[in-house]
Amino acid sequence: VHYYEGMIKKRGPGDKVYKIFWCGLLGNSLYFYKHHKDVQYVDVISLDDFVSLTDDDSLCKHPNEAKMTLELIDANVYLKVDSKELREMWKGFVLTVVELKVPGELSLLPGPRLMMAEVLEKERARRAEFQEELERDRSEEH
């Protein structure tokens, strides 16, 4: 189950146009699917190389759309969602996972902040479990 998911338009390095995907945030990655019912993703972006996620207020074809730029160490990925509110939600969930804290600077209602706090606990638990597995594997090697 994804921490957060929804329709998103993505233009990655080398893409000339935005493509529509169903996107899900899970762990430290964004998974992109052709349809919301698909179980097999068609693209994945690891957030291990995350630099920033910023608003892009340049003009959109549709007045309600909102753009953002996901800056990674080696590339930029451009994202569009259907509203500024959805952009804040995506930014909030991505920043929660990347920074391991619920961002305070975003304009979010209490409900989404609670959801992000739950995601934060899940992500901390996931990382702790991953760390334990690494340590167990290392001890078995010796």
Side-chain angles (χ1 to χ4, degrees):
V1 177
H2 296 113
Y3 296 157
Y4 187 68
E5 60 185 6
M7 194 66 66
I8 203 161
K9 296 173 186 168
K10 175 178 82 83
R11 183 170 60 88
D15 293 338
K16 293 188 189 303
V17 296
Y18 283 89
K19 296 175 185 169
I20 299 173
F21 294 96
W22 187 260
C23 182
L25 172 66
L26 182 60
N28 210 26
S29 297
L30 291 169
Y31 294 88
F32 296 88
Y33 305 85
K34 287 187 178 182
H35 304 285
H36 73 282
K37 292 184 179 180
D38 289 353
V39 292
Q40 181 59 46
Y41 57 87
V42 294
D43 194 13
V44 63
I45 295 176
S46 170
L47 298 173
D48 290 338
D49 294 336
F50 178 88
V51 175
S52 66
L53 181 59
T54 55
D55 294 351
D56 174 358
D57 288 323
S58 61
L59 289 176
C60 292
K61 286 182 183 177
H62 303 285
N64 294 333
E65 275 186 334
K67 294 193 271 188
M68 55 192 152
T69 301
L70 173 60
E71 184 182 353
L72 305 169
I73 289 173
D74 58 351
N76 285 349
V77 179
Y78 304 96
L79 304 168
K80 274 195 228 180
V81 292
D82 288 339
S83 69
K84 290 184 178 181
E85 291 81 10
L86 282 173
R87 180 173 67 187
E88 288 294 285
M89 293 288 286
W90 276 107
K91 285 172 49 184
F93 281 100
V94 168
L95 292 173
T96 295
V97 168
V98 169
E99 298 174 351
L100 286 181
K101 67 176 185 158
V102 176
E105 68 277 0
L106 299 176
S107 53
L108 297 165
L109 294 171
R113 286 194 185 282
L114 272 173
M115 291 166 47
M116 288 171 199
E118 290 171 7
V119 164
L120 177 58
E121 292 310 309
K122 289 178 185 175
E123 182 61 10
R124 283 183 175 152
R126 185 193 72 83
R127 289 187 190 191
E129 185 178 317
F130 179 73
Q131 194 62 36
E132 287 173 17
E133 287 176 20
L134 278 178
E135 290 170 9
R136 196 170 32 249
D137 289 347
R138 282 190 202 127
S139 66
E140 290 174 3
E141 290 175 2
H142 298 296

